[in-house]
Amino acid sequence: MSTSRPSVAARDEVPETPGVEAAAGTRRALAVLVLVLAAALVPLLGPSLALDGTGEARPPGVGVVTLLRISMFAALCVLVGESAAAWLSRRVPDAPAGTPRSWALVAAFVGAASAVGLALIVANGNLVPGSLDELHPGRLYDTADGRLALVEVNAFAVAGFCAQSRRPGTATLPLAAAIVAEALRAHPDLGREDDPLLGSALTLVHLTCAALWAGGLLQVLRTMRAWRTRPTAGAALLGLYARVAAVLFAGVTVTGICSALRRLPLESVLSTGYGRVLIAKLLLVAVIAALAVAARVRLRRSPDPYAAIVPARVEVLVLAVVVAVSALLTAVPAPIWWDRPLWG
């Protein structure tokens, strides 16, 4: 009796059994639970660990701000990823018609709600409101930060509407507006910062590449699951994403290093909360790079079209942690020395 593995063509025609499907569902539920716990621990413990022993004051409401930014960045990744994966899917020869259920409406709601929370904090002088009397949304029009916060709220709302329309690809326009607003918000002190537009440009490229990288991989894996009866098409989609991800990784790395050097002298990396969080993020990115290389090697060498699925799934989980750490990085104090510009 032959014990050889079924051919790719045969696997294309056989769906997963109920037992395998149930086990996979349990693993996904556990993975989501771990991510939720991590998202809760980062704002609760992250600021204290980052600032311990540095002599820096803990910003008021840093935990709430971090949690809101985690939600907003995660929503942005999901929305951008759906658009990117749809674009890649159309370039797969003989791609199946099935697509995963869209998360765009939920993501847009979460993003808009998080942006509203951040906007109310901005309107209250960057302090978390302690009562209804401290809610002053009308003040948002008085400052550049407030107007940018309003742009982000409206951008998520419009993106959700576009994603449910007959042309979901139009959601990329409001999402681009949200990314631009966030890049400008990250460098608000135009009177003091050296080359603030350069800083905003670096943040713009960094955030765009990161959202495409994390959100794109999540949606590609969801699409591969929807195409599980056509593994060769799923492998082709993952291969297309891998080529794009290499460019995105380069963009994230270069812009991240340049932005870090502008904000933080090398000798202050370990003595500041910003530097410590930055090191944690760099270590996680290094792990992601190793997982991406492992997935690409498996995809090339193995006859199994889904050989790269395990490292790719671990990669998307670590990317989710990076999103949380990135949110913390925007909330801790950023030590900036304007008397030591790196670019004249």
Side-chain angles (χ1 to χ4, degrees):
M1 181 182 294
S2 174
T3 58
S4 61
R5 298 170 60 186
S7 66
V8 170
R11 293 180 56 199
D12 278 351
E13 299 174 357
V14 180
E16 294 182 11
T17 62
V20 174
E21 183 73 14
T26 302
R27 290 194 296 269
R28 286 191 295 273
L30 290 175
V32 171
L33 178 61
V34 170
L35 288 179
V36 171
L37 292 176
L41 289 176
V42 169
L44 287 176
L45 304 179
S48 299
L49 293 175
L51 299 174
D52 183 39
T54 64
E56 297 173 293
R58 180 188 173 103
V62 63
V64 175
V65 172
T66 301
L67 185 58
L68 289 174
R69 289 204 165 277
I70 289 174
S71 301
M72 189 177 72
F73 288 165
L76 180 65
C77 289
V78 170
L79 290 166
V80 171
E82 286 204 5
S83 296
W87 183 83
L88 288 175
S89 298
R90 290 193 293 268
R91 280 148 183 80
V92 175
D94 300 323
T99 57
R101 179 180 299 177
S102 175
W103 290 350
L105 187 60
V106 174
F109 176 80
V110 171
S114 303
V116 167
L118 291 169
L120 292 176
I121 293 174
V122 170
N124 196 42
N126 290 321
L127 298 175
V128 177
S131 65
L132 293 178
D133 294 335
E134 296 180 359
L135 298 178
H136 306 287
R139 295 179 181 176
L140 290 171
Y141 297 95
D142 298 335
T143 63
D145 265 3
R147 290 189 290 271
L148 291 173
L150 284 174
V151 170
E152 293 182 357
V153 173
N154 292 322
F156 278 107
V158 175
F161 175 79
C162 292
Q164 299 303 309
S165 68
R166 293 182 178 181
R167 296 185 177 180
T170 56
T172 56
L173 297 177
L175 292 175
I179 294 174
V180 170
E182 183 64 22
L184 293 173
R185 184 215 58 80
H187 302 270
D189 202 344
L190 301 181
R192 292 174 53 199
E193 182 173 353
D194 183 72
D195 290 335
L197 292 180
L198 174 60
S200 294
L202 289 172
T203 302
L204 176 64
V205 176
H206 186 82
L207 186 55
T208 301
C209 291
L212 287 170
W213 184 13
L217 179 57
L218 173 63
Q219 189 64 12
V220 164
L221 291 177
R222 294 187 66 226
T223 303
M224 292 176 68
R225 171 173 164 73
W227 294 355
R228 59 187 177 275
T229 58
R230 295 282 303 279
T232 52
L237 177 62
L238 186 60
L240 286 175
Y241 167 81
R243 289 193 285 273
V244 175
V247 178
L248 298 176
F249 175 76
V252 168
T253 303
V254 172
T255 55
I257 291 175
C258 292
S259 296
L261 290 176
R262 295 185 77 248
R263 287 177 175 265
L264 189 68
L266 293 178
E267 62 269 18
S268 302
V269 169
L270 296 177
S271 60
T272 61
Y274 187 91
R276 292 176 178 179
V277 178
L278 182 62
I279 289 176
K281 181 179 177 180
L282 291 175
L283 291 175
L284 289 170
V285 170
V287 172
I288 292 172
L291 290 169
V293 171
R296 195 158 188 171
V297 169
R298 286 191 178 189
L299 196 62
R300 286 182 175 180
R301 295 181 178 178
S302 176
D304 184 355
Y306 274 14
I309 198 69
V310 173
R313 284 174 174 170
V314 177
E315 181 184 347
V316 79
L317 294 177
V318 181
L319 276 169
V321 179
V322 170
V323 170
V325 174
S326 299
L328 176 61
L329 192 63
T330 65
V332 298
I336 304 176
W337 286 265
W338 303 118
D339 57 337
R340 300 181 58 187
L342 295 179
W343 291 282

